Amino acid sequence: MWSPAPLCALGWRRPGPSAPLQPLTRLFQRDYRDKTPTRLFQREYRDKTPTRLFQRDYRDKTPTRLLQREYRDKTPIHLLQREYRDKIPTRLLQRQYWDKTPTRLFQSEYRDKTPIRLFQREYRDKTSTRLFQREYHDKTPTRLFQREYHDKTPTHLLQREYREVPGQGWGRTQQHPRRFVSYKPKSKRNPKTFPVLDGRVPSVYQHVFEQNLRNSEAVIKRYSELLEKVKQGGGENAIQRHTKRNKKLFVRERLRLLLDHEDFLELSPLAGLDLPYGDVPAAGCLTGIGRICGVWCVFIASDATVKGGTIYPIGVKKQLRAQEIAMENRLLSVHLVDSGGAFLPLQSELFPDKLHGGRVFYNEAIMSAMGIPQVAVVCGSCVAGGAYVPTMAEESVIIDKIGTLFLAGPPLVKAATGEDVSPEDLGGARLHSQVSGCSDHFAASEEEAYECIRNVVSTLNWQPVPEEDREPDSPLYSPEELLGLAPLDYSCTLPVKLILSRLVDGSRFQEFKAAYGTTLVTGFGHVEGHLVGIVASNGELAHDAALKGSHFVQLCGQRGIPILFFQNTAPQPAGPASISQAEAHSNRLKAQASMMAAVACAAVPKITIVIGGCFGSDSYVMCGRSFSPNFLFLWPNARVALVDSRRFPTVPPAGDCPGEELELKQLKAKLEEESSAFYSSSRLWDDGIIPPQDTRKVIAQCLEIMEQKKFQAVFSHPHPIIRM
């Protein structure tokens, strides 16, 4: 008897009362219905029968189809229509005489000769309305106002001054000084009608003049000695090793090849001397401002003869100050990198804080987003953090054989992996030019590298400051006499107008509020043709003088005139001894606070020259370092301290401890040492010491440097240029 068990074992439907079994015939028909010989033959040869093949080949080749295709357009009717369509009498007549009917001939001949047309043609542009419009079209009050004030509306001025800086939001007043609004040559707006200052030194002050002169000669001698020491870098032996053995150029020789053949403004040359961790001449790097292809540029050049190019905290501070000047004045930055990395024993003063080493790389990214170009030359070893400087620059050049770039040098590779590798194989010029892409240009020599950088600068599409045909008048009094006007201390101060008469063009000075608040001199003058506002200390900054200064600073801000501050603050007065003195002190405090606010918010370039003392809160009012002037310089005789050490008491009040007198004397000696101009400049509290007789030249350079940005197109980018 037949059983379904084998089929169930093969996966067929499970038998059971709810699933009756199907006969074997039904299963066979379902599987092989379409696989019979007849079905397979039909499917294979359905389209290959003689009839189907003949139809497919000769469907379009029957006599009827061939005749239709060949003679479709050649029937007698089609040929006749094609030949004689345009030759029937009606068509020929229309084509020949279409424009020659009497009406058409009359219209074409006399259309423009009707009285109305002739009158319109003759007098169309001579009507009263047209004549009036032609004459006064550009002279309406609206047009005249628009032409005059098109770029001077509050919106335009605000946009020009406070462009949003990517990553920083809206720029601070100090970071984005207001531009000079006039583009006229300064020689045409330099009036010769300003009153002339009397710069003669009265005979009654002659002994003070001579005393100041002796002191100035002594401090300038020390300044010259220190400057000569700094110019030797790490010393004669280090220079010999750098140039002879390592086949490199000395840093000052590199600058000579890079910059135009003229003097450059070196910043803080005495930085790094007499520090707690020893002397670091020029802080291990040269910074300054010079011209490349006529364009003012900030340069930051490592000096590998100083500590082998090792970066100290003072070196980081100097580089950050150079970048700050570049951002404030929109100056191209050029890095000459020859660095041995950070000095590890002082890593706590180099690495962790906001204004430590990493800020250099942050500033590079922000400057790139601001549209300020940065280029770099790898002219030596770039190890650890120093490797990021050329990598983050927009264009970089690496010099064959002497330029290397890596985070860890061959000694660390040997210590970590035991592998010996040469500096060239690890991070040489060919590797970074051909493989890694960290460098954009390969130079066979240093001379070729600096020539390449000059070519790069010429492609930046930056226009140098135009050479203007101006011939400013020299001061009527010799600048060499400024040595006798630089005060030994506050008791040897002479009237500040004697100093101004030796700095401004033609000794001409338009004083503001001459008879009010006379302990502060304010007014307008010219320095090498540049119009400036001048705020100069002339005694104790009393209530009236502070109000006057606040008023004048606001005027300069309103008119877009840069301000020169000549600072010689008086020692702090004694405390009030009565109610009336206390009230006077309060009024003075309010007036000084008003002037502080005006100075801080004045959106114009500011230059501060400390010609004497820089003491206490008065130094803030006169735009000290805390108020971010664009540049701040000291005369060699200047003193910078919270209090004047020369007026510091050494005798304790009656009844105090006997040992306190010794402590007071020690404190006075400490204040005396720390308040000198050389102590200040070595710690970068200023942008350098300048001899008094060079003051006019340095101010003129700074004004021209700050003026360059008005000739540059400002393009903000959401992101910096990134080396992918």
Side-chain angles (χ1 to χ4, degrees):
M1 184 176 180
W2 175 77
S3 172
L7 294 177
C8 293
L10 293 172
W12 295 96
R13 192 167 184 179
R14 184 178 180 182
S18 61
L21 290 173
Q22 297 180 3
L24 185 59
T25 304
R26 292 281 183 86
L27 295 173
F28 186 81
Q29 286 178 347
R30 183 186 305 157
D31 287 345
Y32 294 97
R33 179 182 301 159
D34 294 331
K35 297 181 180 179
T36 62
T38 304
R39 290 289 179 92
L40 291 172
F41 185 82
Q42 287 176 348
R43 187 183 306 146
E44 180 71 21
Y45 293 99
R46 179 183 300 159
D47 295 331
K48 296 181 180 179
T49 63
T51 304
R52 290 289 179 91
L53 292 173
F54 184 81
Q55 288 177 347
R56 186 186 304 151
D57 289 342
Y58 292 96
R59 179 184 300 160
D60 295 330
K61 296 181 181 179
T62 63
T64 304
R65 290 289 179 91
L66 291 172
L67 187 66
Q68 287 177 347
R69 188 183 306 147
E70 182 70 21
Y71 293 99
R72 180 182 299 160
D73 295 331
K74 295 181 180 179
T75 63
I77 296 174
H78 278 85
L79 291 172
L80 187 65
Q81 287 178 345
R82 188 183 304 147
E83 182 71 20
Y84 293 99
R85 180 184 299 158
D86 295 330
K87 295 182 180 180
I88 59 178
T90 306
R91 290 290 178 90
L92 291 172
L93 188 66
Q94 287 177 346
R95 186 185 305 145
Q96 185 73 19
Y97 295 100
W98 174 262
D99 293 330
K100 296 181 180 179
T101 63
T103 305
R104 288 294 175 91
L105 290 172
F106 184 81
Q107 288 178 346
S108 61
E109 183 70 21
Y110 294 98
R111 180 183 297 157
D112 296 329
K113 296 181 180 179
T114 62
I116 295 175
R117 290 293 179 91
L118 292 172
F119 184 82
Q120 288 177 344
R121 186 185 305 147
E122 183 70 20
Y123 294 97
R124 179 185 299 158
D125 296 330
K126 296 181 180 179
T127 62
S128 303
T129 304
R130 288 293 178 90
L131 291 172
F132 184 82
Q133 288 177 344
R134 187 185 306 149
E135 182 69 20
Y136 295 97
H137 181 260
D138 293 329
K139 297 180 181 179
T140 62
T142 303
R143 288 295 177 90
L144 292 172
F145 185 82
Q146 288 176 344
R147 186 185 308 148
E148 181 69 19
Y149 295 97
H150 180 259
D151 293 331
K152 299 178 183 178
T153 61
T155 303
H156 278 84
L157 292 173
L158 190 67
Q159 288 175 346
R160 188 185 308 153
E161 181 62 30
Y162 296 95
R163 291 181 183 273
E164 189 173 5
V165 179
Q168 289 184 330
W170 291 100
R172 286 168 37 192
T173 298
Q174 291 87 351
Q175 292 182 347
H176 298 281
R178 178 173 175 171
R179 299 179 179 184
F180 305 126
V181 296
S182 175
Y183 287 80
K184 298 178 181 178
K186 294 175 178 55
S187 59
K188 295 182 180 179
R189 58 183 179 92
N190 185 358
K192 300 184 183 296
T193 57
F194 284 2
V196 177
L197 292 171
D198 184 2
R200 295 172 296 178
V201 179
S203 57
V204 68
Y205 294 141
Q206 194 61 37
H207 68 288
V208 178
F209 181 89
E210 293 173 357
Q211 189 177 359
N212 289 339
L213 180 60
R214 288 192 295 271
N215 177 70
S216 294
E217 290 173 347
V219 293
I220 286 180
K221 180 180 178 182
R222 185 186 175 195
Y223 167 74
S224 301
E225 292 171 352
L226 292 176
L227 201 60
E228 194 62 32
K229 175 183 177 181
V230 166
K231 289 182 178 180
Q232 296 302 316
E236 184 176 349
N237 292 335
I239 293 176
Q240 289 293 325
R241 183 168 58 252
H242 179 82
T243 56
K244 302 297 184 183
R245 191 181 74 182
N246 297 336
K247 307 298 182 183
K248 299 179 183 178
L249 295 176
F250 187 45
V251 62
R252 295 186 181 272
E253 180 67 16
R254 288 170 172 169
L255 292 176
R256 187 187 67 80
L257 294 175
L258 177 66
L259 302 175
D260 295 348
H261 299 296
E262 59 182 39
D263 292 339
F264 59 85
L265 178 62
E266 186 173 354
L267 300 172
S268 305
L270 302 185
L273 298 180
D274 295 326
L275 296 179
Y277 43 79
D279 280 350
V280 186
C285 64
L286 267 66
T287 63
I289 307 173
R291 291 183 193 263
I292 299 178
C293 300
V295 177
W296 287 107
C297 307
V298 168
F299 59 82
I300 303 173
S302 305
D303 187 354
T305 66
V306 178
K307 312 291 185 181
T310 305
I311 301 174
Y312 281 75
I314 191 67
V316 172
K317 187 175 181 181
K318 188 172 182 180
Q319 291 185 45
L320 291 177
R321 175 55 184 158
Q323 287 184 318
E324 182 184 1
I325 289 174
M327 284 190 282
E328 285 180 345
N329 301 288
R330 298 193 62 83
L331 299 175
L332 160 72
S333 293
V334 181
H335 297 264
L336 306 185
V337 192
D338 190 356
S339 166
F343 185 60
L344 288 179
L346 296 176
Q347 65 86 27
S348 62
E349 301 176 42
L350 276 166
F351 171 72
D353 206 357
K354 177 181 178 181
L355 296 180
H356 284 173
R359 192 70 177 188
V360 174
F361 315 132
Y362 172 85
N363 287 344
E364 281 195 83
I366 294 301
M367 290 167 68
S368 180
M370 291 171 63
I372 301 174
Q374 299 160 91
V375 295
V377 180
V378 181
C379 48
S381 177
C382 293
V383 184
Y388 289 106
V389 172
T391 308
M392 295 189 68
E394 295 177 5
E395 286 194 58
S396 64
V397 183
I398 190 167
I399 303 171
D400 191 24
K401 305 300 183 186
I402 64 173
T404 55
L405 193 67
F406 31 62
L407 292 178
L412 285 179
V413 174
K414 175 70 173 177
T417 66
E419 181 182 357
D420 291 316
V421 60
S422 68
E424 278 294 312
D425 293 336
L426 185 62
R430 296 191 182 278
L431 173 76
H432 289 302
S433 298
Q434 300 173 6
V435 180
S436 73
C438 288
S439 179
D440 307 299
H441 305 279
F442 175 90
S445 64
E446 291 205 53
E447 291 81 359
E448 182 180 334
Y450 304 129
E451 187 64 30
C452 180
I453 287 294
R454 291 181 63 85
N455 293 337
V456 170
V457 172
S458 67
T459 67
L460 295 177
N461 199 23
W462 276 36
Q463 298 300 322
V465 178
E467 294 291 337
E468 295 174 351
D469 184 18
R470 60 185 181 211
E471 296 179 0
D473 296 333
S474 300
L476 300 181
Y477 304 93
S478 172
E480 297 295 330
E481 295 176 347
L482 289 170
L483 298 177
L485 299 175
L488 170 63
D489 60 17
Y490 189 74
S491 61
C492 297
T493 299
L494 297 178
V496 75
K497 290 182 183 178
L498 298 177
I499 294 176
L500 300 182
S501 66
R502 288 157 176 82
L503 296 177
V504 295
D505 294 353
S507 300
R508 297 185 182 87
F509 182 65
Q510 177 65 30
E511 190 168 1
F512 176 76
K513 285 189 175 180
Y516 181 81
T518 55
T519 56
L520 186 73
V521 173
T522 57
F524 299 100
H526 293 82
V527 178
E528 295 287 350
H530 300 271
L531 177 64
V532 293
I534 295 175
V535 180
S537 302
N538 198 37
E540 181 183 341
L541 191 61
H543 170 265
D544 293 347
L547 290 180
K548 168 184 172 179
S550 176
H551 185 183
F552 181 75
V553 168
Q554 292 177 75
L555 284 180
C556 292
Q558 184 79 7
R559 300 172 186 176
I561 300 174
I563 308 174
L564 296 182
F565 291 89
F566 291 95
Q567 187 178 142
N568 182 22
T569 57
Q572 297 296 309
S578 63
I579 297 296
S580 60
Q581 288 184 2
E583 184 177 355
H585 273 66
S586 298
N587 291 334
R588 177 173 176 266
L589 179 64
K590 288 189 292 185
Q592 287 190 356
S594 170
M595 186 173 174
M596 278 189 196
V599 171
C601 297
V604 292
K606 296 181 279 284
I607 301 173
T608 301
I609 310 292
V610 181
I611 61 176
C614 175
F615 304 119
S617 60
D618 286 8
S619 69
Y620 306 145
V621 182
M622 292 296 293
C623 200
R625 189 65 152 183
S626 302
F627 277 62
S628 295
N630 292 61
F631 296 97
L632 187 148
F633 299 101
L634 307 181
W635 281 3
N637 59 291
R639 315 288 297 182
V640 181
L642 181 62
V643 295
D644 186 357
S645 61
R646 297 174 183 180
R647 295 176 180 271
F648 189 77
T650 56
V651 179
D656 286 357
C657 299
E660 190 171 349
E661 181 175 355
L662 178 60
E663 293 181 4
L664 289 175
K665 288 182 178 179
Q666 291 175 346
L667 180 57
K668 179 173 182 177
K670 188 174 187 295
L671 286 172
E672 181 72 19
E673 177 189 359
E674 293 179 353
S675 63
S676 75
F678 304 105
Y679 189 94
S680 167
S681 197
S682 69
R683 284 151 180 80
L684 275 168
W685 298 346
D686 52 71
D687 294 318
I689 295 175
I690 57 174
Q693 62 269 31
D694 293 343
T695 304
R696 174 177 162 88
K697 173 186 174 182
V698 171
I699 291 174
Q701 273 186 313
C702 292
L703 291 170
E704 188 169 353
I705 289 166
M706 294 184 294
E707 191 177 14
Q708 175 174 278
K709 66 179 177 179
K710 77 179 182 182
F711 298 98
Q712 313 304 338
V714 179
F715 300 105
S716 295
H717 308 281
H719 305 289
I721 293 178
I722 301 173
R723 191 182 301 278
M724 302 299 291

